[in-house]
Amino acid sequence: MVVVGRMQEGQYTQTIYSYIKQGQYVEAIDCLLPEYENNNTSRAALSLLGYCYYQIGDFVSAADCYGQLIQIFPEHEQYKIYYAQSLQKSCQYEAAMKASFTVDNPTFKEKVVKLQAAVKYDEDDLPGAKSMVEQCASDDPDTENNLGCLLVKEKRYVEACKKFNAAMNVKGYQPHLSYNIALCHYFMKQYALALKNIADIIEKGIREHPELSVGMQTEGIDVRSVGNSMTLHETALVEAFNLKAAIEYQLKNFEGAQEALTDMPPRSEEELDCVTLHNQALMNMDSSPTTGFEKLQFLLQQNECPPETFGNLLLLYVKHQYFDQAADVMAENTHLTFKMDPYLYEYLDAIIVQQSSPEEAFRRFDDIANRHTDNLRKITKLVQECRQNNDEDAVKKAVNEYDEALEKYIPVLMAQAKIYWDKTNYNMVEKIFRKSVEFCNEHDSWNSTWPTFCSCSRRTSTRSDRVL
């Protein structure tokens, strides 16, 4: 906390603007609050407070300041824009959209449309967001970027990548555009290309902002929090390290995934964004399951909760055999079940049913498995057709689709096998596995489990022979 003594007006103003120029927004806020308390209608104090709060990522407080300004100075339209932007950033989407309609000045039309598009996008109203983006100037690089973001939501990653590169060609290198390109490569499982873009972001961030202390925590150096400054946001370092952690996690380099999270600029736990908190919980679950569950449960109550949180929390409950907790969370969050992958919902529902009725669970798993195998056969046929047509891009896309479908099928197969494993009916286990050979014979989990089941099946047969 900055101790503010008596200063002459000129010195006071100079001190505040010096803090702002140096990016010391917390210190500037500490100076401004006494002035605001003495005169809560001061335009200068409210305006600067709103700006500083926005810069440190305290969008709720920023919205409060700008909300007061538009009440006191309704003729200043720019405060209405800042108010709506702060509401959007704090996930108050309905209020943000309502506020955007109060801006009448045609000078701000382009900004208003972009803001409304962002609100629609955050609400997953893709048609609404697209209609707004298409109203923007076609030669505006922001339009290309926004269209790219919509294409990512539609899983059209190749087209999205082209949009982001087009925006980069106009605007020059931008960390967030590089991150968007990396994200596309990640979704296409082109991890080497994704990591190249991530490395560019990190290198630029370290070179231009050594004060952000990248990597210091991993080295065991005690450093203070850098906070959620606009500078940190503009570097895209947090996003880059989270994506790097996700890639290392997918590659089963769990130590590398944890290191990516500790490499990012240091912040206190209450300052962490929801994605970082989610990834910390997930990647440290083996060593700190209680803390991991607490973080995921906390995230589930937040407006900015990552969409993966609900499914991951349920899967982890099931993995740790907390079936009652999984059932309770599903019952308490029925609104989220509608947003889940239908296969994941059916799988989790069957797992919970298995605790009371293994026979009914097996029937459900069998139904899910049959649909998975039908889908895998269709994709296999599609891969063959693409190869015959020498369409390499289509082949890559179809193969990725097959891999994703297989990852959904394997847990169902394992759950079916486990029902008979628990009953020591190893012959049925072997029968279930043999049915899956055509799809799974190159999958690591299948190959590591299959010999064990076969060994148990053979031992059971031998023992039976001896009894006879």
Side-chain angles (χ1 to χ4, degrees):
M1 174 70 73
V2 175
V3 179
V4 184
R6 286 184 174 274
M7 288 185 287
Q8 294 182 357
E9 186 174 346
Q11 183 186 357
Y12 176 77
T13 303
Q14 184 181 359
T15 300
I16 291 171
Y17 279 100
S18 176
Y19 281 140
I20 292 173
K21 185 177 180 180
Q22 295 169 30
Q24 295 176 271
Y25 301 110
V26 173
E27 289 81 354
I29 290 169
D30 289 339
C31 277
L32 287 162
L33 283 173
E35 171 66 18
Y36 170 70
E37 289 167 3
N38 289 332
N39 180 8
N40 61 12
T41 60
S42 168
R43 179 181 173 186
L46 278 169
S47 176
L48 289 171
L49 276 171
Y51 175 79
C52 291
Y53 279 129
Y54 194 93
Q55 293 299 313
I56 65 171
D58 186 350
F59 302 116
V60 173
S61 295
D64 181 56
C65 290
Y66 290 125
Q68 292 180 60
L69 281 165
I70 62 176
Q71 293 297 320
I72 303 167
F73 307 101
E75 69 278 8
H76 293 281
E77 294 272 285
Q78 72 268 30
Y79 294 139
K80 296 178 183 178
I81 288 283
Y82 301 151
Y83 177 57
Q85 287 174 333
S86 299
L87 289 170
Q88 182 255 330
K89 289 287 188 180
S90 60
C91 303
Q92 301 179 63
Y93 302 126
E94 186 177 345
M97 187 63 80
K98 184 178 178 181
S100 73
F101 289 127
T102 67
V103 182
D104 299 320
N105 192 328
T107 306
F108 300 116
K109 182 181 178 182
E110 190 83 0
K111 285 186 177 180
V112 169
V113 173
K114 287 181 181 179
L115 174 62
Q116 291 173 343
V119 171
K120 294 287 186 183
Y121 180 86
D122 289 337
E123 292 181 318
D124 284 329
D125 179 2
L126 299 189
K130 188 175 182 180
S131 70
M132 294 293 179
V133 172
E134 289 173 345
Q135 294 177 38
C136 299
S138 58
D139 58 349
D140 184 347
D142 286 344
T143 302
E144 291 291 284
N145 179 55
N146 292 338
L147 288 171
C149 291
L150 288 167
L151 288 167
V152 170
K153 286 268 193 178
E154 295 170 357
K155 299 184 179 181
R156 295 159 62 183
Y157 306 120
V158 174
E159 297 167 74
C161 229
K162 291 177 181 177
K163 292 291 184 185
F164 297 136
N165 277 305
M168 186 97 79
N169 289 337
V170 177
K171 299 183 77 169
Y173 183 84
Q174 299 281 330
H176 279 281
L177 285 172
S178 188
Y179 168 76
N180 288 344
I181 293 167
L183 191 64
C184 290
H185 290 306
Y186 168 76
F187 284 130
M188 292 187 285
K189 301 187 186 301
Q190 298 170 352
Y191 296 138
L193 289 172
L195 288 169
K196 180 182 180 301
N197 280 276
I198 289 169
D200 291 341
I201 295 169
I202 295 170
E203 182 184 343
K204 181 179 173 66
I206 293 172
R207 184 177 66 251
E208 296 184 358
H209 297 283
E211 74 278 7
L212 293 178
S213 304
V214 169
M216 296 294 188
Q217 282 183 306
T218 303
E219 296 296 328
I221 300 171
D222 188 21
V223 288
R224 68 179 182 85
S225 166
V226 300
N228 285 311
S229 66
M230 193 55 65
T231 298
L232 178 61
H233 169 72
E234 289 169 354
T235 64
L237 283 168
V238 170
E239 293 87 344
F241 279 116
N242 271 313
L243 186 55
K244 185 179 181 182
I247 292 171
E248 299 294 358
Y249 191 83
Q250 291 296 328
L251 296 174
K252 303 191 185 306
N253 178 11
F254 303 120
E255 185 178 340
Q258 291 173 332
E259 186 175 301
L261 293 180
T262 56
D263 273 348
M264 70 170 60
R267 293 170 294 166
S268 59
E269 184 153 310
E270 60 268 20
E271 292 173 328
L272 295 179
D273 59 284
C274 289
V275 174
T276 301
L277 205 61
H278 170 273
N279 289 345
Q280 282 187 351
L282 194 64
M283 295 174 196
N284 294 294
M285 186 59 76
D286 288 341
S287 58
S288 304
T290 302
T291 302
F293 281 123
E294 287 174 356
K295 288 181 178 179
L296 293 174
Q297 289 163 352
F298 167 78
L299 284 172
L300 209 56
Q301 310 306 316
Q302 307 306 305
N303 288 330
E304 293 182 85
C305 172
E308 299 84 3
T309 305
F310 184 52
N312 283 338
L313 177 59
L314 292 171
L315 286 169
L316 287 165
Y317 272 142
V318 166
K319 178 183 176 181
H320 289 262
Q321 299 187 353
Y322 297 149
F323 302 111
D324 289 343
Q325 288 90 329
D328 289 343
V329 169
M330 288 183 76
E332 292 165 4
N333 296 275
T334 52
H335 62 291
L336 294 176
T337 61
F338 297 112
K339 298 180 181 180
M340 289 177 69
D341 181 325
Y343 282 118
L344 177 58
Y345 173 78
E346 291 176 346
Y347 166 75
L348 290 166
D349 188 49
I351 285 282
I352 292 169
V353 167
Q354 182 183 340
Q355 309 318 304
S356 57
S357 176
E359 294 78 12
E360 172 61 18
F362 186 87
R363 186 193 66 76
R364 295 190 186 192
F365 284 132
D366 202 40
D367 179 55
I368 301 168
N370 287 336
R371 281 181 279 143
H372 276 308
T373 53
D374 287 345
N375 187 40
L376 286 165
R377 289 190 182 97
K378 288 178 184 176
I379 301 172
T380 301
K381 184 179 179 182
L382 177 61
V383 171
Q384 293 169 346
E385 290 173 353
C386 293
R387 282 178 175 153
Q388 289 171 0
N389 295 330
N390 296 317
D391 189 341
E392 288 301 315
D393 288 338
V395 169
K396 289 178 183 176
K397 183 179 178 182
V399 168
N400 284 340
E401 189 178 344
Y402 183 92
D403 289 341
E404 289 177 7
L406 186 60
E407 290 299 326
K408 293 178 181 179
Y409 171 55
I410 290 286
V412 177
L413 172 71
M414 296 295 183
Q416 281 186 293
K418 187 176 184 302
I419 289 174
Y420 283 105
W421 174 271
D422 290 342
K423 294 181 177 181
T424 66
N425 188 342
Y426 302 123
N427 288 329
M428 274 300 297
V429 172
E430 183 175 355
K431 182 179 177 182
I432 290 167
F433 266 71
R434 288 195 183 282
K435 284 172 62 178
S436 65
V437 170
E438 66 173 296
F439 308 110
C440 307
N441 63 344
E442 295 182 3
H443 193 279
D444 291 342
S445 295
W446 190 91
N447 279 317
S448 63
T449 309
W450 168 240
T452 304
F453 281 136
C454 285
S455 174
C456 287
S457 179
R458 286 193 292 272
R459 286 202 302 272
T460 303
S461 297
T462 303
R463 288 172 187 148
S464 296
D465 290 341
R466 285 174 183 168
V467 171
L468 290 171

